[in-house]
Every structure is written in C-alpha cells, then in structure tokens.
Amino acid sequence: MTEGLVSYLPLILATFLLAGLVKGVVGLGLPTISVGLLGLVMPPMQAAALLLVPSMVTNIWQLADGRNPWPMLRRLWPMLLGIVLGTLLLGGWLRGRDLAQASQWLGMALVLYAGLGLLAVRFHVRPAQEAWLAPLIGAATGALTALTGVFVIPAVPYLQAIGLEKDELVQALGLSFSVSTLALAASLGQRGELLQPALLGLSLLALVPALLGMAGGQWLRRRISAHLFKRCFFIGLLLLGAELSLRGVL
C-alpha cells in the first residue's frame, strides 16, 4: 500500500501545503481539501490516514490561544460524544467491507458543504434545542467521518448556528476537529490495514508542509479579504466535489 503512495509524494506534500494555507486563512479546510484532492488518486480512507498527524497538530495549534477550553467542552460534550460513537460504530460495521462508492459519497459531502457556504445558508439553533440536537449532529458527523474521512458536515453548520462569538467559534471548531481526528484514528485502527507505521510516517512527513502552509495563511489573512478567499475556497470545493461525485457515473 505505502509503496504506491511514494510515487504520489510530491502531490501529497503540495496538497497539505495548500490545505494548511487555507486553514491558516479561514480557520478550517484541512480535512476537506486534503482528503478531497488526494481522493482523486487514492481511496478516501487512505487519504484520511495521511491526514491524522497534520490534522491533530494544526487543531492543537488552533486551540492554543490561551483561553480555557473547559467551558466550551462542557457545552459541546454531547455533540463530541456523538462524533466518537458515530465514527466508531459505523467504522466497525464497515470493517472488511469494500466501499466501491466511497469517492462518490465524499464528493457529495463536499458539494453539500460548498453549496451551503456559497449560498451563505445560516441556521439558528435555540439553546433549548441543543440538548437533543447536539448528539444527533455529532452522530451524523461521526458517520460521515467513518465513511468519507471528512468531518465538517453537519458539525460546522451546527456550530455556526448556536450563536458563538468569533473566537468561541474558532475554539469550538478546534475541539470538534480534534475529537473527530482522534475518533477517525481509532476507526482506522479497527481497519488495521489502513493504519500501518509506514503510512503514519508519511502522515508525519505531511505535517511539515501543513504547518508551513498554516503559518503562511495566518500571515496572508491580515493582508487579503478573508470573505473573497473563502468564496474561492468554496467554489474550488464545489468543483472538486462534483468531479468526485460524477466519477464512474458519466
């Protein structure tokens, strides 16, 4: 498995550099871009295995802003628990199964996410609704994580809907992505062939361009329109998702 990946090493490094750059500018995008682009040349869950180390480290970087994470953790724990359970339960059920349409599912998830972003769709969740909605959102996010390796839908729209301030939203996204990454690692561990030492070594190597890209993105964020950049990001995701969705259909 990993021998074939070596031929894709330049693409892997370039992909994580771009994904880190986007995350540095808009605060998200690492899993969607990395798994989406690499999903063009390899199975999505193999791309997700390469994502593990860069995702975990960049999310910790995003969280390390000096604010206490416990208040947010107390608020979000039902959703986070749902993410873990959804990822592990569906991941366990998928073990040993051949997901021939995994790329199409990934493409549809990217199209949905990009469409919501381009249309500026905003939901509103009242505090009284969080108690029952948060676990369902978490479970759905976990299921899509186990299926596609991307953990933005529906967690990101939900977090945008519960009335968080800008800094709180960044912290909440960091927590959600960190828990999703750990749950994804555990799910891939259930499918032992997807979590080999050599593959983790490539994931560790991908951390370098991801960190360089994130640092560059944070520098760039102070000099460009984040709104315009995010719009370009969603258009790119829409095109990428459409390509993956239609692959094998046309």
PDB file of all heavy atoms in Angstrom, residues 97-137:
ATOM      1  N   ARG A  97     -15.390  -4.369   4.632  1.00  0.00           N
ATOM      2  CA  ARG A  97     -16.310  -4.176   3.509  1.00  0.00           C
ATOM      3  C   ARG A  97     -15.647  -3.346   2.417  1.00  0.00           C
ATOM      4  O   ARG A  97     -14.887  -2.425   2.699  1.00  0.00           O
ATOM      5  CB  ARG A  97     -17.609  -3.500   3.968  1.00  0.00           C
ATOM      6  CG  ARG A  97     -18.375  -4.325   4.999  1.00  0.00           C
ATOM      7  CD  ARG A  97     -19.586  -3.549   5.512  1.00  0.00           C
ATOM      8  NE  ARG A  97     -20.246  -4.267   6.585  1.00  0.00           N
ATOM      9  CZ  ARG A  97     -21.241  -5.124   6.426  1.00  0.00           C
ATOM     10  NH1 ARG A  97     -21.707  -5.343   5.210  1.00  0.00           N
ATOM     11  NH2 ARG A  97     -21.782  -5.740   7.461  1.00  0.00           N
ATOM     12  N   ASP A  98     -15.968  -3.642   1.201  1.00  0.00           N
ATOM     13  CA  ASP A  98     -15.430  -2.900   0.059  1.00  0.00           C
ATOM     14  C   ASP A  98     -16.384  -1.761  -0.283  1.00  0.00           C
ATOM     15  O   ASP A  98     -17.506  -1.990  -0.738  1.00  0.00           O
ATOM     16  CB  ASP A  98     -15.265  -3.834  -1.138  1.00  0.00           C
ATOM     17  CG  ASP A  98     -14.698  -3.102  -2.357  1.00  0.00           C
ATOM     18  OD1 ASP A  98     -14.038  -2.063  -2.158  1.00  0.00           O
ATOM     19  OD2 ASP A  98     -14.916  -3.586  -3.484  1.00  0.00           O
ATOM     20  N   LEU A  99     -15.948  -0.516  -0.041  1.00  0.00           N
ATOM     21  CA  LEU A  99     -16.782   0.648  -0.317  1.00  0.00           C
ATOM     22  C   LEU A  99     -16.443   1.193  -1.705  1.00  0.00           C
ATOM     23  O   LEU A  99     -15.664   2.131  -1.851  1.00  0.00           O
ATOM     24  CB  LEU A  99     -16.563   1.722   0.741  1.00  0.00           C
ATOM     25  CG  LEU A  99     -17.153   1.434   2.117  1.00  0.00           C
ATOM     26  CD1 LEU A  99     -16.872   2.591   3.050  1.00  0.00           C
ATOM     27  CD2 LEU A  99     -18.650   1.196   2.024  1.00  0.00           C
ATOM     28  N   ALA A 100     -17.037   0.602  -2.713  1.00  0.00           N
ATOM     29  CA  ALA A 100     -16.727   0.991  -4.086  1.00  0.00           C
ATOM     30  C   ALA A 100     -17.164   2.423  -4.381  1.00  0.00           C
ATOM     31  O   ALA A 100     -16.615   3.072  -5.264  1.00  0.00           O
ATOM     32  CB  ALA A 100     -17.405   0.022  -5.059  1.00  0.00           C
ATOM     33  N   GLN A 101     -18.170   2.917  -3.645  1.00  0.00           N
ATOM     34  CA  GLN A 101     -18.704   4.252  -3.913  1.00  0.00           C
ATOM     35  C   GLN A 101     -18.224   5.287  -2.904  1.00  0.00           C
ATOM     36  O   GLN A 101     -18.820   6.355  -2.787  1.00  0.00           O
ATOM     37  CB  GLN A 101     -20.230   4.207  -3.923  1.00  0.00           C
ATOM     38  CG  GLN A 101     -20.813   3.372  -5.057  1.00  0.00           C
ATOM     39  CD  GLN A 101     -22.326   3.377  -5.043  1.00  0.00           C
ATOM     40  OE1 GLN A 101     -22.955   3.245  -4.001  1.00  0.00           O
ATOM     41  NE2 GLN A 101     -22.918   3.546  -6.223  1.00  0.00           N
ATOM     42  N   ALA A 102     -17.134   5.003  -2.198  1.00  0.00           N
ATOM     43  CA  ALA A 102     -16.653   5.933  -1.172  1.00  0.00           C
ATOM     44  C   ALA A 102     -16.307   7.295  -1.765  1.00  0.00           C
ATOM     45  O   ALA A 102     -16.588   8.338  -1.166  1.00  0.00           O
ATOM     46  CB  ALA A 102     -15.444   5.338  -0.448  1.00  0.00           C
ATOM     47  N   SER A 103     -15.700   7.311  -2.953  1.00  0.00           N
ATOM     48  CA  SER A 103     -15.336   8.589  -3.575  1.00  0.00           C
ATOM     49  C   SER A 103     -16.571   9.403  -3.922  1.00  0.00           C
ATOM     50  O   SER A 103     -16.578  10.634  -3.793  1.00  0.00           O
ATOM     51  CB  SER A 103     -14.509   8.348  -4.846  1.00  0.00           C
ATOM     52  OG  SER A 103     -13.248   7.799  -4.520  1.00  0.00           O
ATOM     53  N   GLN A 104     -17.640   8.721  -4.366  1.00  0.00           N
ATOM     54  CA  GLN A 104     -18.875   9.438  -4.677  1.00  0.00           C
ATOM     55  C   GLN A 104     -19.505  10.038  -3.417  1.00  0.00           C
ATOM     56  O   GLN A 104     -20.001  11.176  -3.430  1.00  0.00           O
ATOM     57  CB  GLN A 104     -19.875   8.508  -5.363  1.00  0.00           C
ATOM     58  CG  GLN A 104     -19.588   8.248  -6.832  1.00  0.00           C
ATOM     59  CD  GLN A 104     -18.516   7.197  -7.043  1.00  0.00           C
ATOM     60  OE1 GLN A 104     -18.091   6.530  -6.106  1.00  0.00           O
ATOM     61  NE2 GLN A 104     -18.074   7.041  -8.281  1.00  0.00           N
ATOM     62  N   TRP A 105     -19.485   9.291  -2.314  1.00  0.00           N
ATOM     63  CA  TRP A 105     -20.003   9.817  -1.043  1.00  0.00           C
ATOM     64  C   TRP A 105     -19.184  11.023  -0.598  1.00  0.00           C
ATOM     65  O   TRP A 105     -19.731  12.025  -0.131  1.00  0.00           O
ATOM     66  CB  TRP A 105     -19.960   8.730   0.036  1.00  0.00           C
ATOM     67  CG  TRP A 105     -21.064   7.734  -0.072  1.00  0.00           C
ATOM     68  CD1 TRP A 105     -20.973   6.448  -0.511  1.00  0.00           C
ATOM     69  CD2 TRP A 105     -22.439   7.943   0.254  1.00  0.00           C
ATOM     70  NE1 TRP A 105     -22.206   5.838  -0.473  1.00  0.00           N
ATOM     71  CE2 TRP A 105     -23.120   6.730  -0.005  1.00  0.00           C
ATOM     72  CE3 TRP A 105     -23.163   9.031   0.747  1.00  0.00           C
ATOM     73  CZ2 TRP A 105     -24.485   6.579   0.208  1.00  0.00           C
ATOM     74  CZ3 TRP A 105     -24.530   8.889   0.952  1.00  0.00           C
ATOM     75  CH2 TRP A 105     -25.179   7.677   0.689  1.00  0.00           C
ATOM     76  N   LEU A 106     -17.872  10.926  -0.745  1.00  0.00           N
ATOM     77  CA  LEU A 106     -17.006  12.054  -0.406  1.00  0.00           C
ATOM     78  C   LEU A 106     -17.353  13.267  -1.267  1.00  0.00           C
ATOM     79  O   LEU A 106     -17.471  14.389  -0.770  1.00  0.00           O
ATOM     80  CB  LEU A 106     -15.541  11.668  -0.606  1.00  0.00           C
ATOM     81  CG  LEU A 106     -14.500  12.798  -0.490  1.00  0.00           C
ATOM     82  CD1 LEU A 106     -14.553  13.439   0.891  1.00  0.00           C
ATOM     83  CD2 LEU A 106     -13.104  12.266  -0.784  1.00  0.00           C
ATOM     84  N   GLY A 107     -17.519  13.051  -2.567  1.00  0.00           N
ATOM     85  CA  GLY A 107     -17.857  14.144  -3.464  1.00  0.00           C
ATOM     86  C   GLY A 107     -19.167  14.803  -3.100  1.00  0.00           C
ATOM     87  O   GLY A 107     -19.280  16.044  -3.095  1.00  0.00           O
ATOM     88  N   MET A 108     -20.182  14.005  -2.757  1.00  0.00           N
ATOM     89  CA  MET A 108     -21.476  14.576  -2.382  1.00  0.00           C
ATOM     90  C   MET A 108     -21.377  15.388  -1.098  1.00  0.00           C
ATOM     91  O   MET A 108     -22.017  16.444  -0.953  1.00  0.00           O
ATOM     92  CB  MET A 108     -22.523  13.463  -2.253  1.00  0.00           C
ATOM     93  CG  MET A 108     -22.972  12.914  -3.593  1.00  0.00           C
ATOM     94  SD  MET A 108     -24.336  11.726  -3.458  1.00  0.00           S
ATOM     95  CE  MET A 108     -23.436  10.261  -2.947  1.00  0.00           C
ATOM     96  N   ALA A 109     -20.569  14.917  -0.143  1.00  0.00           N
ATOM     97  CA  ALA A 109     -20.375  15.671   1.098  1.00  0.00           C
ATOM     98  C   ALA A 109     -19.713  17.014   0.813  1.00  0.00           C
ATOM     99  O   ALA A 109     -20.097  18.052   1.391  1.00  0.00           O
ATOM    100  CB  ALA A 109     -19.531  14.853   2.081  1.00  0.00           C
ATOM    101  N   LEU A 110     -18.723  17.032  -0.091  1.00  0.00           N
ATOM    102  CA  LEU A 110     -18.044  18.281  -0.439  1.00  0.00           C
ATOM    103  C   LEU A 110     -18.977  19.240  -1.171  1.00  0.00           C
ATOM    104  O   LEU A 110     -18.957  20.450  -0.924  1.00  0.00           O
ATOM    105  CB  LEU A 110     -16.809  17.988  -1.294  1.00  0.00           C
ATOM    106  CG  LEU A 110     -15.681  17.192  -0.639  1.00  0.00           C
ATOM    107  CD1 LEU A 110     -14.514  17.039  -1.601  1.00  0.00           C
ATOM    108  CD2 LEU A 110     -15.219  17.843   0.654  1.00  0.00           C
ATOM    109  N   VAL A 111     -19.800  18.704  -2.071  1.00  0.00           N
ATOM    110  CA  VAL A 111     -20.759  19.549  -2.790  1.00  0.00           C
ATOM    111  C   VAL A 111     -21.752  20.179  -1.820  1.00  0.00           C
ATOM    112  O   VAL A 111     -22.065  21.380  -1.909  1.00  0.00           O
ATOM    113  CB  VAL A 111     -21.500  18.734  -3.874  1.00  0.00           C
ATOM    114  CG1 VAL A 111     -22.705  19.499  -4.406  1.00  0.00           C
ATOM    115  CG2 VAL A 111     -20.552  18.392  -5.014  1.00  0.00           C
ATOM    116  N   LEU A 112     -22.254  19.393  -0.878  1.00  0.00           N
ATOM    117  CA  LEU A 112     -23.200  19.916   0.111  1.00  0.00           C
ATOM    118  C   LEU A 112     -22.566  21.014   0.945  1.00  0.00           C
ATOM    119  O   LEU A 112     -23.157  22.093   1.137  1.00  0.00           O
ATOM    120  CB  LEU A 112     -23.687  18.774   1.008  1.00  0.00           C
ATOM    121  CG  LEU A 112     -24.595  19.176   2.175  1.00  0.00           C
ATOM    122  CD1 LEU A 112     -25.866  19.844   1.663  1.00  0.00           C
ATOM    123  CD2 LEU A 112     -24.922  17.966   3.045  1.00  0.00           C
ATOM    124  N   TYR A 113     -21.368  20.762   1.428  1.00  0.00           N
ATOM    125  CA  TYR A 113     -20.677  21.749   2.267  1.00  0.00           C
ATOM    126  C   TYR A 113     -20.386  23.031   1.481  1.00  0.00           C
ATOM    127  O   TYR A 113     -20.636  24.145   1.957  1.00  0.00           O
ATOM    128  CB  TYR A 113     -19.378  21.133   2.793  1.00  0.00           C
ATOM    129  CG  TYR A 113     -18.556  22.041   3.666  1.00  0.00           C
ATOM    130  CD1 TYR A 113     -19.142  22.776   4.682  1.00  0.00           C
ATOM    131  CD2 TYR A 113     -17.186  22.150   3.478  1.00  0.00           C
ATOM    132  CE1 TYR A 113     -18.381  23.611   5.500  1.00  0.00           C
ATOM    133  CE2 TYR A 113     -16.415  22.972   4.281  1.00  0.00           C
ATOM    134  CZ  TYR A 113     -17.022  23.704   5.301  1.00  0.00           C
ATOM    135  OH  TYR A 113     -16.267  24.527   6.083  1.00  0.00           O
ATOM    136  N   ALA A 114     -19.886  22.868   0.248  1.00  0.00           N
ATOM    137  CA  ALA A 114     -19.581  24.044  -0.567  1.00  0.00           C
ATOM    138  C   ALA A 114     -20.846  24.808  -0.930  1.00  0.00           C
ATOM    139  O   ALA A 114     -20.857  26.048  -0.933  1.00  0.00           O
ATOM    140  CB  ALA A 114     -18.850  23.614  -1.842  1.00  0.00           C
ATOM    141  N   GLY A 115     -21.927  24.091  -1.223  1.00  0.00           N
ATOM    142  CA  GLY A 115     -23.183  24.755  -1.560  1.00  0.00           C
ATOM    143  C   GLY A 115     -23.711  25.592  -0.413  1.00  0.00           C
ATOM    144  O   GLY A 115     -24.151  26.734  -0.614  1.00  0.00           O
ATOM    145  N   LEU A 116     -23.661  25.044   0.802  1.00  0.00           N
ATOM    146  CA  LEU A 116     -24.107  25.806   1.974  1.00  0.00           C
ATOM    147  C   LEU A 116     -23.251  27.050   2.167  1.00  0.00           C
ATOM    148  O   LEU A 116     -23.762  28.127   2.513  1.00  0.00           O
ATOM    149  CB  LEU A 116     -24.038  24.922   3.227  1.00  0.00           C
ATOM    150  CG  LEU A 116     -25.036  23.769   3.310  1.00  0.00           C
ATOM    151  CD1 LEU A 116     -24.751  22.911   4.537  1.00  0.00           C
ATOM    152  CD2 LEU A 116     -26.464  24.298   3.373  1.00  0.00           C
ATOM    153  N   GLY A 117     -21.928  26.901   1.923  1.00  0.00           N
ATOM    154  CA  GLY A 117     -21.038  28.041   2.097  1.00  0.00           C
ATOM    155  C   GLY A 117     -21.273  29.120   1.056  1.00  0.00           C
ATOM    156  O   GLY A 117     -21.334  30.310   1.389  1.00  0.00           O
ATOM    157  N   LEU A 118     -21.435  28.732  -0.209  1.00  0.00           N
ATOM    158  CA  LEU A 118     -21.632  29.711  -1.282  1.00  0.00           C
ATOM    159  C   LEU A 118     -22.977  30.416  -1.166  1.00  0.00           C
ATOM    160  O   LEU A 118     -23.096  31.604  -1.489  1.00  0.00           O
ATOM    161  CB  LEU A 118     -21.523  29.026  -2.642  1.00  0.00           C
ATOM    162  CG  LEU A 118     -20.111  28.629  -3.074  1.00  0.00           C
ATOM    163  CD1 LEU A 118     -20.164  27.781  -4.334  1.00  0.00           C
ATOM    164  CD2 LEU A 118     -19.248  29.864  -3.312  1.00  0.00           C
ATOM    165  N   LEU A 119     -23.997  29.704  -0.724  1.00  0.00           N
ATOM    166  CA  LEU A 119     -25.325  30.304  -0.570  1.00  0.00           C
ATOM    167  C   LEU A 119     -25.467  31.068   0.733  1.00  0.00           C
ATOM    168  O   LEU A 119     -26.511  31.683   0.980  1.00  0.00           O
ATOM    169  CB  LEU A 119     -26.401  29.213  -0.651  1.00  0.00           C
ATOM    170  CG  LEU A 119     -26.521  28.498  -2.004  1.00  0.00           C
ATOM    171  CD1 LEU A 119     -27.504  27.337  -1.909  1.00  0.00           C
ATOM    172  CD2 LEU A 119     -26.952  29.470  -3.087  1.00  0.00           C
ATOM    173  N   ALA A 120     -24.397  31.009   1.558  1.00  0.00           N
ATOM    174  CA  ALA A 120     -24.412  31.686   2.864  1.00  0.00           C
ATOM    175  C   ALA A 120     -25.621  31.263   3.691  1.00  0.00           C
ATOM    176  O   ALA A 120     -26.259  32.082   4.361  1.00  0.00           O
ATOM    177  CB  ALA A 120     -24.381  33.201   2.681  1.00  0.00           C
ATOM    178  N   VAL A 121     -25.935  29.970   3.626  1.00  0.00           N
ATOM    179  CA  VAL A 121     -27.063  29.446   4.396  1.00  0.00           C
ATOM    180  C   VAL A 121     -26.706  29.481   5.881  1.00  0.00           C
ATOM    181  O   VAL A 121     -25.649  28.992   6.291  1.00  0.00           O
ATOM    182  CB  VAL A 121     -27.398  28.005   3.967  1.00  0.00           C
ATOM    183  CG1 VAL A 121     -28.498  27.427   4.843  1.00  0.00           C
ATOM    184  CG2 VAL A 121     -27.797  27.975   2.505  1.00  0.00           C
ATOM    185  N   ARG A 122     -27.558  30.077   6.670  1.00  0.00           N
ATOM    186  CA  ARG A 122     -27.322  30.169   8.109  1.00  0.00           C
ATOM    187  C   ARG A 122     -28.527  29.612   8.862  1.00  0.00           C
ATOM    188  O   ARG A 122     -29.665  30.037   8.631  1.00  0.00           O
ATOM    189  CB  ARG A 122     -27.081  31.627   8.529  1.00  0.00           C
ATOM    190  CG  ARG A 122     -25.749  32.190   8.047  1.00  0.00           C
ATOM    191  CD  ARG A 122     -24.577  31.511   8.749  1.00  0.00           C
ATOM    192  NE  ARG A 122     -23.297  32.036   8.291  1.00  0.00           N
ATOM    193  CZ  ARG A 122     -22.566  31.505   7.322  1.00  0.00           C
ATOM    194  NH1 ARG A 122     -23.037  30.433   6.675  1.00  0.00           N
ATOM    195  NH2 ARG A 122     -21.414  32.017   6.980  1.00  0.00           N
ATOM    196  N   PHE A 123     -28.267  28.663   9.710  1.00  0.00           N
ATOM    197  CA  PHE A 123     -29.311  28.097  10.551  1.00  0.00           C
ATOM    198  C   PHE A 123     -29.246  28.750  11.929  1.00  0.00           C
ATOM    199  O   PHE A 123     -28.249  29.374  12.291  1.00  0.00           O
ATOM    200  CB  PHE A 123     -29.118  26.581  10.681  1.00  0.00           C
ATOM    201  CG  PHE A 123     -29.101  25.854   9.364  1.00  0.00           C
ATOM    202  CD1 PHE A 123     -27.898  25.481   8.776  1.00  0.00           C
ATOM    203  CD2 PHE A 123     -30.277  25.556   8.707  1.00  0.00           C
ATOM    204  CE1 PHE A 123     -27.871  24.822   7.564  1.00  0.00           C
ATOM    205  CE2 PHE A 123     -30.264  24.909   7.482  1.00  0.00           C
ATOM    206  CZ  PHE A 123     -29.054  24.527   6.917  1.00  0.00           C
ATOM    207  N   HIS A 124     -30.307  28.625  12.682  1.00  0.00           N
ATOM    208  CA  HIS A 124     -30.316  29.133  14.050  1.00  0.00           C
ATOM    209  C   HIS A 124     -30.850  28.047  14.978  1.00  0.00           C
ATOM    210  O   HIS A 124     -31.941  27.508  14.752  1.00  0.00           O
ATOM    211  CB  HIS A 124     -31.188  30.383  14.173  1.00  0.00           C
ATOM    212  CG  HIS A 124     -31.270  30.902  15.572  1.00  0.00           C
ATOM    213  ND1 HIS A 124     -30.177  31.441  16.237  1.00  0.00           N
ATOM    214  CD2 HIS A 124     -32.299  30.940  16.456  1.00  0.00           C
ATOM    215  CE1 HIS A 124     -30.538  31.800  17.450  1.00  0.00           C
ATOM    216  NE2 HIS A 124     -31.814  31.501  17.607  1.00  0.00           N
ATOM    217  N   VAL A 125     -30.063  27.721  15.976  1.00  0.00           N
ATOM    218  CA  VAL A 125     -30.436  26.719  16.965  1.00  0.00           C
ATOM    219  C   VAL A 125     -30.612  27.407  18.310  1.00  0.00           C
ATOM    220  O   VAL A 125     -29.696  28.068  18.797  1.00  0.00           O
ATOM    221  CB  VAL A 125     -29.365  25.609  17.068  1.00  0.00           C
ATOM    222  CG1 VAL A 125     -29.709  24.626  18.186  1.00  0.00           C
ATOM    223  CG2 VAL A 125     -29.218  24.881  15.734  1.00  0.00           C
ATOM    224  N   ARG A 126     -31.776  27.264  18.893  1.00  0.00           N
ATOM    225  CA  ARG A 126     -32.043  27.852  20.209  1.00  0.00           C
ATOM    226  C   ARG A 126     -31.386  27.010  21.292  1.00  0.00           C
ATOM    227  O   ARG A 126     -31.239  25.784  21.135  1.00  0.00           O
ATOM    228  CB  ARG A 126     -33.538  27.963  20.459  1.00  0.00           C
ATOM    229  CG  ARG A 126     -34.259  28.906  19.505  1.00  0.00           C
ATOM    230  CD  ARG A 126     -35.690  29.147  19.954  1.00  0.00           C
ATOM    231  NE  ARG A 126     -36.454  27.900  19.965  1.00  0.00           N
ATOM    232  CZ  ARG A 126     -37.093  27.412  18.922  1.00  0.00           C
ATOM    233  NH1 ARG A 126     -37.050  28.048  17.747  1.00  0.00           N
ATOM    234  NH2 ARG A 126     -37.775  26.291  19.013  1.00  0.00           N
ATOM    235  N   PRO A 127     -30.982  27.646  22.412  1.00  0.00           N
ATOM    236  CA  PRO A 127     -30.329  26.893  23.493  1.00  0.00           C
ATOM    237  C   PRO A 127     -31.132  25.682  23.957  1.00  0.00           C
ATOM    238  O   PRO A 127     -30.558  24.626  24.271  1.00  0.00           O
ATOM    239  CB  PRO A 127     -30.189  27.932  24.605  1.00  0.00           C
ATOM    240  CG  PRO A 127     -30.086  29.237  23.874  1.00  0.00           C
ATOM    241  CD  PRO A 127     -30.989  29.095  22.682  1.00  0.00           C
ATOM    242  N   ALA A 128     -32.451  25.804  23.970  1.00  0.00           N
ATOM    243  CA  ALA A 128     -33.277  24.685  24.428  1.00  0.00           C
ATOM    244  C   ALA A 128     -33.209  23.492  23.480  1.00  0.00           C
ATOM    245  O   ALA A 128     -33.521  22.357  23.876  1.00  0.00           O
ATOM    246  CB  ALA A 128     -34.727  25.149  24.580  1.00  0.00           C
ATOM    247  N   GLN A 129     -32.816  23.720  22.228  1.00  0.00           N
ATOM    248  CA  GLN A 129     -32.745  22.634  21.249  1.00  0.00           C
ATOM    249  C   GLN A 129     -31.424  21.882  21.295  1.00  0.00           C
ATOM    250  O   GLN A 129     -31.325  20.786  20.752  1.00  0.00           O
ATOM    251  CB  GLN A 129     -32.956  23.198  19.840  1.00  0.00           C
ATOM    252  CG  GLN A 129     -34.318  23.830  19.601  1.00  0.00           C
ATOM    253  CD  GLN A 129     -34.406  24.503  18.242  1.00  0.00           C
ATOM    254  OE1 GLN A 129     -33.553  25.319  17.896  1.00  0.00           O
ATOM    255  NE2 GLN A 129     -35.428  24.162  17.469  1.00  0.00           N
ATOM    256  N   GLU A 130     -30.409  22.481  21.923  1.00  0.00           N
ATOM    257  CA  GLU A 130     -29.076  21.886  21.889  1.00  0.00           C
ATOM    258  C   GLU A 130     -29.029  20.516  22.562  1.00  0.00           C
ATOM    259  O   GLU A 130     -28.310  19.621  22.107  1.00  0.00           O
ATOM    260  CB  GLU A 130     -28.065  22.827  22.554  1.00  0.00           C
ATOM    261  CG  GLU A 130     -27.782  24.089  21.743  1.00  0.00           C
ATOM    262  CD  GLU A 130     -26.707  24.941  22.379  1.00  0.00           C
ATOM    263  OE1 GLU A 130     -25.710  24.369  22.873  1.00  0.00           O
ATOM    264  OE2 GLU A 130     -26.862  26.182  22.404  1.00  0.00           O
ATOM    265  N   ALA A 131     -29.794  20.335  23.646  1.00  0.00           N
ATOM    266  CA  ALA A 131     -29.699  19.097  24.435  1.00  0.00           C
ATOM    267  C   ALA A 131     -30.005  17.864  23.593  1.00  0.00           C
ATOM    268  O   ALA A 131     -29.331  16.836  23.717  1.00  0.00           O
ATOM    269  CB  ALA A 131     -30.633  19.169  25.644  1.00  0.00           C
ATOM    270  N   TRP A 132     -31.032  17.950  22.719  1.00  0.00           N
ATOM    271  CA  TRP A 132     -31.385  16.771  21.921  1.00  0.00           C
ATOM    272  C   TRP A 132     -30.760  16.798  20.527  1.00  0.00           C
ATOM    273  O   TRP A 132     -30.531  15.743  19.924  1.00  0.00           O
ATOM    274  CB  TRP A 132     -32.906  16.642  21.795  1.00  0.00           C
ATOM    275  CG  TRP A 132     -33.583  17.790  21.081  1.00  0.00           C
ATOM    276  CD1 TRP A 132     -34.112  18.911  21.640  1.00  0.00           C
ATOM    277  CD2 TRP A 132     -33.795  17.916  19.667  1.00  0.00           C
ATOM    278  NE1 TRP A 132     -34.635  19.734  20.666  1.00  0.00           N
ATOM    279  CE2 TRP A 132     -34.464  19.152  19.452  1.00  0.00           C
ATOM    280  CE3 TRP A 132     -33.483  17.105  18.562  1.00  0.00           C
ATOM    281  CZ2 TRP A 132     -34.826  19.598  18.186  1.00  0.00           C
ATOM    282  CZ3 TRP A 132     -33.842  17.547  17.301  1.00  0.00           C
ATOM    283  CH2 TRP A 132     -34.512  18.782  17.113  1.00  0.00           C
ATOM    284  N   LEU A 133     -30.471  18.003  20.009  1.00  0.00           N
ATOM    285  CA  LEU A 133     -29.936  18.095  18.650  1.00  0.00           C
ATOM    286  C   LEU A 133     -28.439  17.790  18.594  1.00  0.00           C
ATOM    287  O   LEU A 133     -27.962  17.159  17.640  1.00  0.00           O
ATOM    288  CB  LEU A 133     -30.208  19.486  18.088  1.00  0.00           C
ATOM    289  CG  LEU A 133     -29.849  19.721  16.616  1.00  0.00           C
ATOM    290  CD1 LEU A 133     -30.572  18.722  15.705  1.00  0.00           C
ATOM    291  CD2 LEU A 133     -30.190  21.155  16.206  1.00  0.00           C
ATOM    292  N   ALA A 134     -27.694  18.223  19.624  1.00  0.00           N
ATOM    293  CA  ALA A 134     -26.236  18.062  19.599  1.00  0.00           C
ATOM    294  C   ALA A 134     -25.795  16.601  19.427  1.00  0.00           C
ATOM    295  O   ALA A 134     -24.916  16.317  18.599  1.00  0.00           O
ATOM    296  CB  ALA A 134     -25.621  18.660  20.865  1.00  0.00           C
ATOM    297  N   PRO A 135     -26.359  15.635  20.172  1.00  0.00           N
ATOM    298  CA  PRO A 135     -25.929  14.242  19.958  1.00  0.00           C
ATOM    299  C   PRO A 135     -26.237  13.735  18.551  1.00  0.00           C
ATOM    300  O   PRO A 135     -25.455  12.958  17.988  1.00  0.00           O
ATOM    301  CB  PRO A 135     -26.723  13.455  21.008  1.00  0.00           C
ATOM    302  CG  PRO A 135     -27.135  14.462  22.025  1.00  0.00           C
ATOM    303  CD  PRO A 135     -27.327  15.740  21.286  1.00  0.00           C
ATOM    304  N   LEU A 136     -27.383  14.165  17.982  1.00  0.00           N
ATOM    305  CA  LEU A 136     -27.734  13.729  16.630  1.00  0.00           C
ATOM    306  C   LEU A 136     -26.760  14.304  15.601  1.00  0.00           C
ATOM    307  O   LEU A 136     -26.321  13.600  14.675  1.00  0.00           O
ATOM    308  CB  LEU A 136     -29.163  14.168  16.295  1.00  0.00           C
ATOM    309  CG  LEU A 136     -30.274  13.569  17.154  1.00  0.00           C
ATOM    310  CD1 LEU A 136     -31.632  14.122  16.723  1.00  0.00           C
ATOM    311  CD2 LEU A 136     -30.262  12.050  17.088  1.00  0.00           C
ATOM    312  N   ILE A 137     -26.422  15.589  15.770  1.00  0.00           N
ATOM    313  CA  ILE A 137     -25.446  16.217  14.879  1.00  0.00           C
ATOM    314  C   ILE A 137     -24.105  15.508  14.991  1.00  0.00           C
ATOM    315  O   ILE A 137     -23.435  15.229  13.989  1.00  0.00           O
ATOM    316  CB  ILE A 137     -25.290  17.712  15.222  1.00  0.00           C
ATOM    317  CG1 ILE A 137     -26.580  18.475  14.903  1.00  0.00           C
ATOM    318  CG2 ILE A 137     -24.097  18.321  14.490  1.00  0.00           C
ATOM    319  CD1 ILE A 137     -26.918  18.560  13.435  1.00  0.00           C
TER     320      ILE A 137
END
